[in-house]
Amino acid sequence: MGDLRLVNLTKQFGIFTAVDDLSLTVPQGSFFALLGASGCGKTTTLRMVAGLEEPTTGQVLLDGQDISRLRPYKRPVNTVFQSYALFPHLDIFENVAFGLRRRGVRDVAGRVARMLSLVQLDGYGKRRPAQLSGGQQQRVALARALINEPQVLLLDEPLGALDLKLRRQMQIELKRIQTEVGLTFVHVTHDQEEAMTMADTVAVMNAGRIEQLGAPAELYEYPASPFVANFLGQSNLLAGDVAGKAGDDVEVTAYGSRFSLPAGRCRADAGSVYLGVRPEKLRLAALVDEVPAGHQYVTGVVTDSSYVGVSTQYLVRTAWGTELSVFAPNSGVTEQIPLGADVAAYWHPRHAFLLRREPGAGDATQPLLEPVP
Amino acid sequence: MSTLSRRRGRLSPYLLILPGGLWLLLFFAVPIFQLGVTSLYDPSGSLEQGYAMTWAFGNYADALSQYWPHFVRSLVYAGIATVLCLLLGYPLAYAIAQKSGRWKNLMLVCVIAPFFTSFLVRTLAWKTILSDNGALVGFLRDVHLLDASGRLLATPIAVVLGLTYNFLPFMVLPLYANLDRLDGRLLEAANDLYASPARAFAKVTLPLSMPGLVAGTLLTFIPAAGDYINAELLGTPNEYMIGNVIDSAFLVRLDYPQAAALSFILMAAILAIVFVYIKRAGTDEVV
Ligand SMILES: Nc1ncnc2c1ncn2[C@@H]1O[C@H](COP(=O)(O)OP(=O)(O)OP(=O)(O)O)[C@@H](O)[C@H]1O
Ligand SMILES: [Mg+2]
């Protein structure tokens, strides 16, 4: 009960389909993160839930009731707008109090003061929005929606303008309020880390559709499509073909080598496929003989390395020209590998995954789409 | 930056003011001064014999005691016309700015179109519209809103209607300019925060359009208060406004000192009203 359900939700602007037959369920009291490239329809989806955009077809159900024809001000839903949309003629106090006043809630002053202090804007109540910095305005937008404690809170990149430290603090506050009050949050963000640390469920959207939906670890460890594999973190995807099955394993040929991996790690078991391995799951060995038993490898030459503190990121060029990313932790156990060194990049089969590939598509070691920072 | 260009930068505001400033000095400040002087001439003089400067402040007292009903009438008629213009003009400006889509330019042209013909001609047209054997009066008599001999022409109603018609564009245009800039996302935010469309209008649209509303009401009220064409063509001497009195003092009776004194009183009255109005509109009380 109390779940938010989108059923076959579609929104067309003219001939352009912004949201395409979207169905999903957000359980009551859960934290749902929506990730996706710019323009993939996240804001449009939220607007349909808020009632600011009428679906072309499909339904929005809350508590099992269809609210898709309900006017926005009748919905127990509030939005933190991507563009803030603060009222320029009202001071910060009145901006935050706006929803409470419309509903005739008592003790407005006390609640607003507490909310302003929560977003660390004590003493700013008398200012106008134009007198605040971008990050401060964003926190006002957050406070203005959050203070209403709606059944569903829609957050459209609510922390995008904040510095890292403040963003972490706000994330903790948001998560605390969400769990304490038991609100349902639908959170759009470009920050994968934010999505993964805060959300119970993450959905990755692409061109108006949900590509994959699940627990953060599940999406990261076992992506369902090349898009997800490269949108959420980075992946090395080698183009190959399924050669057959051997017991519980699926055998793959790629570039003349044979690889295998557990059937439970395969999204496809025939035809053209990608063999995927995350950069941090790859290890480097100077000699093929040093590759531990039970692991698989490809050989190549180190063409680039960048030291980023916690790890060193190497690029390894294979004999057939593909560049693989390898993240080696700087735990002090291994030494830095010089440029030009011959190496074997190896992994354990249970860390690999297999994805369906359009026949003819080549390797996809670079992100298909650069995630917006 | 060199000192020269910096100096030019500092001078540029003054250079920008210069042409307009000179214009105003020549054609506004000098005549006003002349008018002020005239208003204090000895009223017993005449155009032929010339006027003596006697600091006759009594001109003001005389003008006011003689013509105060015309002042009051002017302000009342102009006030009613302004309110009517606001009631008609606000929805119109809102529709043009927010709802007209690709018809926007056409609708704006329609608002401005009356300016293509003379004020006088348009007011004369109203004389026909309101005439006793016109369709409007006929209809109103038929539905018994007017009795059988009731008329519109030569009544205060006709004058107020004429004023409303003639000054409506001055209300619509500033309101349109303001409402055109209204950010629709603010209304969405208000809707999202439990405000019905009516509440959103009262709490967001209306306060944000106050500058346009103040500009529109002033641009309507001020010229309407000084107008004399409407009262002359659509009314009778019983409906005459202060503009008619000034007109006849200057052009018929040739009583220049009194005409000048009347003009100054009208100016002072309007300035006082505008000042109080703007002060009130500046605070949240009007909202
Ligand atoms: N009113 C509209 N008319 C026409 N097209 C629209 C309209 N609103 C959105 N779109 C289009 O729909 C698509 C999805 O837009 P949306 O705002 O939902 O993207 P988004 O996922 O929120 O992107 P971002 O991450 O950049 O905010 C875009 O291609 C956009 O151009
Ligand atoms: Mg968006």
Side-chain angles (χ1 to χ4, degrees):
Chain A
M1 277 332 275
D3 298 352
L4 172 68
R5 285 184 59 211
L6 311 186
V7 185
N8 304 115
L9 207 57
T10 298
K11 178 69 197 182
Q12 289 172 328
F13 296 108
I15 53 160
F16 176 76
T17 306
V19 175
D20 192 2
D21 197 25
L22 192 93
S23 294
L24 57 85
T25 299
V26 183
Q28 177 173 17
S30 73
F31 198 121
F32 187 92
L34 206 51
L35 276 174
S38 184
C40 71
K42 306 180 295 291
T43 298
T44 308
T45 307
L46 295 196
R47 286 172 60 81
M48 286 191 282
V49 176
L52 302 172
E53 206 81 71
E54 198 172 324
T56 309
T57 56
Q59 291 177 313
V60 178
L61 303 175
L62 188 61
D63 266 336
Q65 286 182 336
D66 186 3
I67 60 166
S68 34
R69 299 285 173 263
L70 213 58
R71 306 293 297 276
Y73 58 93
K74 298 244 170 97
R75 301 191 188 194
V77 175
N78 287 119
T79 310
V80 182
F81 291 92
Q82 193 169 9
S83 56
Y84 315 158
L86 301 179
F87 303 119
H89 60 296
L90 299 178
D91 62 19
I92 301 310
F93 182 96
E94 286 303 326
N95 262 281
V96 176
F98 195 92
L100 299 182
R101 294 218 194 279
R102 299 291 83 71
R103 286 184 303 154
V105 173
R106 297 188 11 188
D107 185 26
V108 170
R111 283 165 178 256
V112 172
R114 276 195 296 281
M115 193 44 78
L116 283 180
S117 132
L118 189 127
V119 296
Q120 303 181 14
L121 287 174
D122 305 86
Y124 282 81
K126 283 273 158 280
R127 292 215 208 173
R128 295 285 170 110
Q131 297 167 320
L132 299 188
S133 76
Q136 289 168 337
Q137 292 179 30
Q138 193 165 44
R139 280 179 278 156
V140 176
L142 187 60
R144 187 180 67 173
L146 200 52
I147 195 168
N148 299 299
E149 300 188 351
Q151 230 175 313
V152 178
L153 187 67
L154 307 172
L155 305 107
D156 201 347
E157 296 180 41
L159 308 175
L162 306 184
D163 65 73
L164 202 61
K165 180 159 169 274
L166 196 52
R167 187 188 299 201
R168 295 285 171 259
Q169 285 174 3
M170 288 298 131
Q171 286 172 358
I172 292 168
E173 286 299 336
L174 275 181
K175 187 75 193 165
R176 187 179 61 74
I177 294 174
Q178 186 256 333
T179 35
E180 270 177 16
V181 189
L183 308 177
T184 308
F185 276 28
V186 181
H187 184 112
V188 167
T189 174
H190 282 300
D191 181 345
Q192 303 171 19
E193 207 178 307
E194 182 171 298
M196 305 235 260
T197 51
M198 298 177 78
D200 307 308
T201 310
V202 176
V204 176
M205 246 182 117
N206 182 23
R209 291 173 164 278
I210 298 274
E211 285 263 336
Q212 190 180 1
L213 180 156
E218 184 188 324
L219 258 72
Y220 189 81
E221 297 297 340
Y222 190 28
S225 71
F227 181 86
V228 176
N230 272 325
F231 192 82
L232 215 58
Q234 220 180 320
S235 295
N236 297 302
L237 299 180
L238 296 182
D241 295 284
V242 172
K245 286 199 177 176
D248 278 346
D249 286 355
V250 174
E251 307 241 296
V252 180
T253 53
Y255 301 103
S257 304
R258 226 167 220 283
F259 304 98
S260 72
L261 66 173
R265 301 279 303 162
C266 299
R267 301 280 182 187
D269 54 8
S272 305
V273 288
Y274 279 121
L275 177 67
V277 192
R278 293 278 185 189
E280 71 279 8
K281 302 279 174 20
L282 286 176
R283 292 270 178 278
L284 294 180
L287 297 168
V288 168
D289 295 344
E290 288 175 10
V291 173
H295 286 60
Q296 299 178 341
Y297 66 90
V298 295
T299 55
V301 182
V302 174
T303 57
D304 192 18
S305 76
S306 45
Y307 177 81
V308 292
V310 291
S311 69
T312 303
Q313 307 192 351
Y314 295 101
L315 275 187
V316 175
R317 184 190 290 277
T318 59
W320 60 89
T322 300
E323 292 204 310
L324 303 179
S325 304
V326 180
F327 297 168
N330 285 328
S331 51
V333 178
T334 51
E335 298 195 348
Q336 300 290 319
I337 300 169
L339 292 188
D342 287 315
V343 289
Y346 64 89
W347 66 91
H348 195 279
R350 71 166 184 273
H351 289 150
F353 51 87
L354 208 63
L355 305 176
R356 222 175 62 76
R357 172 171 70 97
E358 295 301 321
D363 291 343
T365 55
Q366 303 296 324
L368 293 177
L369 261 174
E370 285 292 341
V372 181
Chain B
M1 209 195 271
S2 74
T3 18
L4 190 72
S5 67
R6 198 174 317 143
R7 180 158 333 131
R8 190 176 311 142
R10 232 181 301 137
L11 279 178
S12 66
Y14 300 104
L15 290 175
L16 289 173
I17 291 174
L18 200 61
L22 275 177
W23 179 271
L24 281 179
L25 190 72
L26 264 176
F27 297 107
F28 182 71
V30 171
I32 279 271
F33 177 76
Q34 183 58 42
L35 197 68
V37 170
T38 307
S39 73
L40 298 174
Y41 282 158
D42 180 1
S44 63
S46 73
L47 262 187
E48 297 85 56
Q49 294 155 13
Y51 290 103
M53 179 55 165
T54 55
W55 302 99
F57 284 100
N59 287 345
Y60 283 86
D62 290 346
L64 207 53
S65 63
Q66 215 175 333
Y67 293 113
W68 67 266
H70 295 83
F71 275 110
V72 172
R73 195 179 294 138
S74 290
L75 299 181
V76 170
Y77 285 5
I80 296 173
T82 303
V83 171
L84 288 177
C85 278
L86 184 60
L87 293 179
L88 291 170
Y90 199 107
L92 181 60
Y94 186 87
I96 297 175
Q98 297 285 326
K99 307 282 178 197
S100 59
R102 61 206 177 86
W103 300 105
K104 185 183 270 187
N105 287 335
L106 185 69
M107 293 183 71
L108 274 178
V109 169
C110 289
V111 170
I112 301 166
F115 290 132
F116 294 148
T117 57
S118 117
F119 190 84
L120 213 57
V121 171
R122 283 182 281 133
T123 312
L124 281 169
W126 271 80
K127 204 167 174 158
T128 317
I129 297 173
L130 300 176
S131 72
D132 292 343
N133 24 27
L136 184 59
V137 168
F139 172 75
L140 291 177
R141 282 178 183 166
D142 286 348
V143 299
H144 299 292
L145 277 173
L146 280 178
D147 50 42
S149 60
R151 46 190 317 213
L152 283 177
L153 202 62
T155 63
I157 294 176
V159 178
V160 170
L161 284 183
L163 287 171
T164 306
Y165 161 76
N166 276 311
F167 293 103
L168 185 60
F170 297 97
M171 178 68 83
V172 173
L173 291 178
L175 272 173
Y176 162 77
N178 178 287
L179 289 168
D180 195 41
R181 280 182 289 128
L182 181 71
D183 185 352
R185 292 178 297 189
L186 297 178
L187 298 181
E188 289 185 343
N191 278 176
D192 190 65
L193 292 163
Y194 313 106
S196 63
R199 299 290 279 167
F201 175 81
K203 292 293 166 190
V204 180
T205 309
L206 188 59
L208 283 173
S209 65
M210 275 321 271
L213 197 147
V214 169
T217 44
L218 290 181
L219 283 177
T220 310
F221 180 79
I222 295 172
D227 182 78
Y228 64 97
I229 301 274
N230 285 282
E232 174 142 349
L233 297 182
L234 305 174
T236 67
N238 287 333
E239 282 81 38
Y240 273 8
M241 297 164 66
I242 197 64
N244 302 88
V245 176
I246 296 174
D247 175 51
S248 92
F250 264 125
L251 301 178
V252 180
R253 290 186 279 119
L254 302 179
D255 187 348
Y256 276 28
Q258 185 175 61
L262 284 167
S263 302
F264 256 85
I265 296 171
L266 178 62
M267 210 154 63
I270 289 178
L271 274 177
I273 290 171
V274 166
F275 184 75
V276 171
Y277 177 63
I278 289 183
K279 274 212 87 139
R280 297 235 348 178
T283 68
D284 289 339
E285 278 173 68
V286 174
V287 177

